[in-house]
Amino acid sequence: MKKLKLHHWILLSMALGAAIGLPLNWAAGQGHVSEGTVRDLAKVGNELGGLFLRLLQMLVVPLIVSSLVTGVTGMGNLKRLGRLGGRTLLYYMVTSLLAILTGMALVNLIQPGVGADLDLLQSGVAESLPKVAAKSDVLEILWDQIVNMIPKNPLRAASEGDMLPIIFFSLLLGVFISVVEHASPHAPDKRNPGLVLREFFASLFDVMMRMTLWVVALAPFGVFGFMLFAAAGHGFAAFEALGLYALTVALGLLIHATVTLPLLVKVLARRSPLELAKAMSPALLTAFSTASSNGTLPLTMQCIEQRAHVPQRVSSFVLPLGATINMDGTALYEAVAVLFIAQVYGMDLGLGQQAIVAITALIASVGAAGIPHAGTVMMVVVLAAVGLPTTAVGLILAVDRILDMCRTAVNVWSDTTAAVVVERYAPEPAEPVTS
Ligand code: ASP
């Protein structure tokens, strides 16, 4: 018999989680089994998935640091890094805006909130949001992002898993390792300190990739747990009132993931989107079931380097940054959700107001962390910008887990397409020279 590959195992375990969870959720709704039992089972699934996610999260910081430092020292100089950064940011902005426009076109066309039953929606407000502080002033959020990029203490940033400051410090560390290496090339009496550090981080990176491979082998168990949690704990009941809204978000995500992004891959990177998706399938499936693009990052890096063969000097920069600030799926979802809520409240948002929604949705997606439900928490920014009550987030929570899973997969897919597109236009590696 043909040996099953990892992504087959992941798919099978997803199907198994759903096959056990959905009937149980239905049976609990009908009163055939006690709701408490099903809730407990969903909790067990969540714990099992949580173990896997923690293992992945354990790798994120050392992997990002070693990967970025190695990538930058392989890049050569600051100018090259700047060019790579500029192209990456441009791609991120453009795809996120395309995603938002897709979502907005659909929500205006389908109008899922017009005539929706507000009482029925409010009866579903049972779930609570994770405790993440969210500000509602857009400028303040942007400014915070910029200031907090500079860590007062890099070790604290690392210990708290603050991605942007870690990225900023690692980039600088890489640049100055190169500077030191080339400032003292002829020191016969001692080893070149820059070289020592470059080799150290390259070795650390290799070891972290090996560890990732080991954790990845456990993916089917984690994915099974999360699917059981989602299927048994959430089921279909919530779709009664929110079905059309969920469908609008899902359709938007589908169009963005299967039409817009593949077109960019085909035209700009001249690569087969299908092959790329196949190579990335373990990461995409894991993103779907964990709903955390941050947690999936080690797997995304593993797949893109070993299976999609994107050079590390590009992926080491594009992916960690993408997992932090590039969230097409989240941006689309924020825009659709806010316009849906406006429709429910009977508020007619004109073109100007909708443009505000688009821009704030973009900013909110940049500010959202790559963890479950982060996008939902950030939505208060967009709601506040057009004068909607921020508590209205509660109306859409009942279907949020499944939508979170879908948008996280799109977020990771978008980072992946960025890596192959940017690779094509990335400056060639050159003799390392100082800036
Ligand atoms: N869960 C998403 C992610 O990790 C963020 C969101 O809530 O939209 O990418």
Side-chain angles (χ1 to χ4, degrees):
M1 202 180 82
K2 217 174 125 204
K3 215 168 151 238
L4 287 183
K5 299 226 174 74
L6 178 68
H7 58 272
H8 295 137
W9 281 114
I10 296 180
L11 265 176
L12 272 178
S13 55
M14 277 170 84
L16 189 66
I20 297 175
L22 282 177
L24 277 174
N25 182 280
W26 176 82
Q30 302 290 313
H32 299 318
V33 268
S34 98
E35 279 195 19
T37 314
V38 176
R39 218 177 305 124
D40 286 346
L41 193 77
K43 230 169 114 192
V44 171
N46 198 23
E47 293 294 323
L48 180 67
L51 282 180
F52 168 64
L53 190 56
R54 281 184 83 101
L55 278 171
L56 279 175
Q57 285 167 333
M58 168 183 88
L59 304 176
V60 169
V61 172
L63 191 62
I64 293 185
V65 174
S66 59
S67 151
L68 274 171
V69 170
T70 311
V72 172
T73 50
M75 183 85 58
N77 63 20
L78 263 185
K79 215 154 81 214
R80 280 199 165 78
L81 186 65
R83 251 185 287 158
L84 184 70
R87 280 161 209 185
T88 308
L89 289 180
L90 180 70
Y91 183 89
Y92 285 164
M93 285 270 290
V94 170
T95 56
S96 292
L97 279 175
L98 286 175
I100 290 172
L101 290 181
T102 309
M104 289 178 87
L106 285 176
V107 76
N108 278 303
L109 208 73
I110 301 175
Q111 306 213 317
V114 174
D117 184 344
L118 192 58
D119 289 339
L120 187 61
L121 283 176
Q122 269 159 348
S123 69
V125 184
E127 324 228 348
S128 59
L129 279 173
K131 302 229 171 334
V132 184
K135 299 202 166 130
S136 54
D137 185 323
V138 182
L139 283 180
E140 210 182 316
I141 289 183
L142 263 186
W143 183 240
D144 272 5
Q145 288 273 25
I146 293 170
V147 173
N148 290 333
M149 224 168 73
I150 305 170
K152 272 201 246 170
N153 175 351
L155 291 182
R156 158 116 58 94
S159 75
E160 287 174 2
D162 271 347
M163 300 281 274
L164 277 183
I166 298 176
I167 292 174
F168 183 76
F169 181 77
S170 306
L171 288 176
L172 278 184
L173 188 61
V175 167
F176 282 93
I177 286 176
S178 284
V179 170
V180 169
E181 183 179 347
H182 294 277
S184 49
H186 308 293
D189 50 329
K190 63 179 177 94
R191 288 199 71 196
N192 181 319
L195 180 68
V196 171
L197 277 180
R198 177 155 65 84
E199 286 176 349
F200 167 78
F201 281 107
S203 310
L204 180 63
F205 178 69
D206 283 347
V207 174
M208 293 317 298
M209 283 302 247
R210 271 299 172 91
M211 271 172 90
T212 304
L213 214 55
W214 172 73
V215 173
V216 164
L218 303 173
F221 297 101
V223 165
F224 167 76
F226 275 132
M227 277 310 281
L228 184 64
F229 164 67
H234 295 74
F236 289 126
F239 285 86
E240 226 173 276
L242 289 163
L244 205 52
Y245 151 73
L247 204 76
T248 311
V249 176
L251 190 64
L253 292 174
L254 194 72
I255 293 175
H256 190 66
T258 61
V259 181
T260 313
L261 291 176
L263 265 177
L264 293 177
V265 170
K266 189 86 205 148
V267 174
L268 295 178
R270 307 254 169 87
R271 281 185 69 149
S272 152
L274 214 61
E275 293 284 306
L276 183 66
K278 239 165 102 188
M280 297 305 294
S281 55
L284 296 174
L285 293 172
T286 303
F288 179 75
S289 33
T290 58
S292 170
S293 42
N294 215 330
T296 310
L297 184 60
L299 199 55
T300 319
M301 294 184 80
Q302 226 274 333
C303 289
I304 204 138
E305 282 173 34
Q306 318 265 311
R307 295 167 58 108
H309 308 294
V310 173
Q312 197 220 336
R313 81 196 147 83
V314 174
S315 60
S316 68
F317 176 76
V318 175
L319 292 183
L321 197 65
T324 315
I325 65 167
N326 179 46
M327 297 194 180
D328 292 8
T330 303
L332 184 151
Y333 148 83
E334 308 253 351
V336 172
V338 169
L339 292 188
F340 166 76
I341 290 171
Q343 289 172 357
V344 170
Y345 280 98
M347 228 171 116
D348 200 9
L349 296 184
L351 216 59
Q353 294 276 77
Q354 296 217 13
I356 293 180
V357 170
I359 292 169
T360 43
L362 179 69
I363 295 171
S365 74
V366 170
I371 54 172
H373 296 299
T376 323
V377 179
M378 288 302 286
M379 195 188 298
V380 293
V381 182
V382 193
L383 287 169
V386 285
L388 279 162
T390 48
T391 47
V393 165
L395 299 183
I396 50 161
L397 284 187
V399 289
D400 203 54
R401 177 71 192 189
I402 177 73
L403 292 183
D404 197 3
M405 293 160 77
C406 299
R407 64 185 189 251
T408 307
V410 174
N411 290 346
V412 170
W413 175 228
S414 161
D415 296 344
T416 306
T417 64
V420 293
V421 169
V422 170
E423 183 210 346
R424 179 120 200 286
Y425 300 95
E428 280 301 307
E431 283 298 296
V433 264
T434 56
S435 62

